[in-house]
Every structure is written in C-alpha cells, then in structure tokens.
Amino acid sequence: MGLFFTSLIVLVVALLYAAGFFDVVLPPELSVALPWMAVVVPKKGPFSQLGEVFSLAAAGFGDDATVHGERNGVGLYYEDPALVAEPRWAVGFVCADRAECDAVAAKVDGAIVVSMPASRCWRSSMPWRHQLSPMFNAMRVWGPFMAAVPNGDDENTVAIEFYDEAAGVERFVVCEENADVLLAGRL
C-alpha cells in the first residue's frame, strides 16, 4: 500500500514537472528587439480556433518546417480574453524575408504580412516543453508580465508570443514603440 502511494506521488510530481509547473516565471526586461516579419491570419473569437488557424497559415508555406516545429510561430493577442468575450488575435509564422512573406500571404485566405522594425520591447521567456506549453505558460506569465509593464493595460498594447519549439523556448513580448504596425492587422 505504501509503495502504491509513493509511486502515485512520484508520478504526479513528474507530470507537474513535465508540464512546467515548477518553471520560474522571469520578470520582463526592457531591451531592443530585432526586426521581424511574419505571415499571420487575423481572427476574432475563442482561442479554441488557434490550432486550425495555425494549420491554415502553415499550409501556405508548403514545406515540412512548419509541421516539424522548425519555423518559429508567432501569436499577436490584441485583447485579454478574460475581459472581452470575442478577443481579436492573429497567428502565423515568421518568414525569412519579404519575398517569402508575400508569396505565402498570397496563398492563404485572409493572411497579412506584419513587418516589425527594431523596437524597444519588454521581454521574458519560458521553456517550451510540449505542444501545450503555450497554453500553460501564457496562463502563468501574462498576468504578472502586464502588471510589471508600464501601460500594460492600455487598449493599444499588443501581447506577442514567439513559439520556438526547436530551441525549446517560448518568448513573451510587449513593445513600447511601433505598436501601430501590429494594430494595423487587427480585425
């Protein structure tokens, strides 16, 4: 009987560790983020559509890089789903250059190209452990992150997540400048 409960406790702790429950949430730091460009598909509604929309965006690239986690995903979140019934958001993938972005956007219905210049941004990161990491990490990171960022509750603040499965990291970003570039794609 004692071995059973010990095994059960070890199993629960191992599952919590694998889920990232014990990962430390780092406070955001202000630095200059490098420029980036992505093809995203803007949407409005529940986040339950994320997988479907990521698949739609991935199909436009027509390669295995998006399927195998070798291409960085990106999510732009314009509103807090705890405060808005139908939040606006956009998801897609980072491109190598403008030509690639334009070619992919032409193949994906409703896709747009977002081109963000180098900007002063608040940034933090968490380990990418599995396909559910974005959901678990976001629940732990965004509340304290936005509370620490000046104007984190401003309606023009865009929460950005970069999903780098190959490097094993998820990056959380809020930029202090050039938010208009990101807001241009909001539905």
Side-chain angles (χ1 to χ4, degrees), residues 5-6 11 21 25 31 33 35 73 76 83 97 106 112 120 127 135 151 167 176 184:
F5 287 114
T6 302
L11 177 63
F21 183 78
V25 178
S31 62
L76 307 175
L83 303 176
D97 55 38
I112 62 170
R120 287 182 329 127
M135 180 180 69
N151 301 321
E176 283 194 339

Side-chain angles (χ1 to χ4, degrees), residues 20-166:
F21 183 78
F22 301 111
D23 292 339
V24 176
V25 178
L26 300 173
E29 294 180 357
L30 185 61
S31 62
V32 175
L34 297 174
W36 55 273
M37 190 174 302
V39 171
V40 297
V41 179
K43 290 291 179 182
K44 182 176 183 176
F47 291 162
S48 60
Q49 302 172 40
L50 280 167
E52 177 185 329
V53 178
F54 265 118
S55 295
L56 177 67
F61 284 91
D63 61 18
D64 289 337
T66 52
V67 176
H68 299 297
E70 297 164 9
R71 185 180 301 281
N72 292 347
V74 63
L76 307 175
Y77 302 95
Y78 302 108
E79 296 158 328
D80 184 343
L83 303 176
V84 177
E86 298 245 329
R88 293 173 290 181
W89 49 274
V91 295
F93 294 92
V94 175
C95 303
D97 55 38
R98 183 66 191 217
E100 180 183 42
C101 276
D102 288 342
V104 171
K107 297 178 197 174
V108 179
D109 188 37
I112 62 170
V113 175
V114 175
S115 181
M116 186 71 167
S119 306
R120 287 182 329 127
C121 301
W122 292 92
R123 303 191 293 177
S124 186
S125 63
M126 291 283 287
W128 175 287
R129 297 187 177 277
H130 46 72
Q131 292 298 320
L132 296 177
S133 288
M135 180 180 69
F136 291 142
N137 289 345
M139 290 188 302
R140 293 185 58 210
V141 169
W142 281 120
F145 188 106
M146 292 307 230
V149 172
N151 301 321
D153 60 352
D154 184 276
E155 67 181 33
N156 292 322
T157 298
V158 180
I160 309 165
E161 295 180 13
F162 290 98
Y163 314 109
D164 190 345
E165 188 175 354

